[in-house]
């Protein structure tokens, strides 16, 4: 089962996470990766990357993490299943 990015990333005011949408087997999932997950799990010391550049740079690994976290039988929240990646979740 492959997971592919279909939209994003984008920021939502007041929420400290990047939002994006992925698809697995035709089912779309709204996903979020928290600021801390991006900075704690991916940023090298003294690196000046933004959330968006870290997301792009590590997209393949982020999608791998999302694939591990996606529910097998998704339950919709507000019409669409939602998955949030927090710091350290689904890391190798």
């Amino acid at each position: 089962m492959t997971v592919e990015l279909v939209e994003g990333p984008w920021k939502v005011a007041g929420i400290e996470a990047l939002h994006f949408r992925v698809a697995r087997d035709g089912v779309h999932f709204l996903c979020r990766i928290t600021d801390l997950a991006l900075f704690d799990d991916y940023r090298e010391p003294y690196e000046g990357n933004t959330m968006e550049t870290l997301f792009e740079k590590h997209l393949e690994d982020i999608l791998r993490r999302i694939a591990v976290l996606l529910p097998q039988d998704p339950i919709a929240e507000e019409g669409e299943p939602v998955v949030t990646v927090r710091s350290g979740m689904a890391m190798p």
Side-chain angles (χ1 to χ4, degrees), residues 7-21 30-36 38-39 50-53 55:
E7 183 182 3
W10 68 89
K11 289 285 291 173
V12 173
I15 299 176
E16 295 181 358
L18 276 182
H19 292 69
F20 55 102
R21 191 165 277 111
L30 176 61
C31 301
R32 300 179 285 219
I33 185 164
T34 65
D35 296 5
L36 284 177
L38 281 167
F39 289 127
T50 65
M51 289 174 47
E52 290 82 1
T53 58
F55 183 88

Side-chain angles (χ1 to χ4, degrees), residues 14-84:
I15 299 176
E16 295 181 358
L18 276 182
H19 292 69
F20 55 102
R21 191 165 277 111
V22 299
R24 180 189 68 196
D25 298 331
V27 178
H28 286 214
F29 296 84
L30 176 61
C31 301
R32 300 179 285 219
I33 185 164
T34 65
D35 296 5
L36 284 177
L38 281 167
F39 289 127
D40 289 352
D41 298 344
Y42 295 112
R43 185 177 58 179
E44 297 296 323
Y46 309 108
E47 204 173 38
N49 288 323
T50 65
M51 289 174 47
E52 290 82 1
T53 58
L54 284 170
F55 183 88
E56 290 173 16
K57 184 176 178 181
H58 298 282
L59 179 60
E60 186 175 314
D61 190 60
I62 291 167
L63 292 179
R64 182 200 54 77
R65 291 173 73 180
I66 287 293
V68 169
L69 296 170
L70 289 178
Q72 294 304 312
D73 298 315
I75 298 171
E77 295 178 23
E78 298 178 17
E80 186 173 28
V82 179
V83 176
T84 301

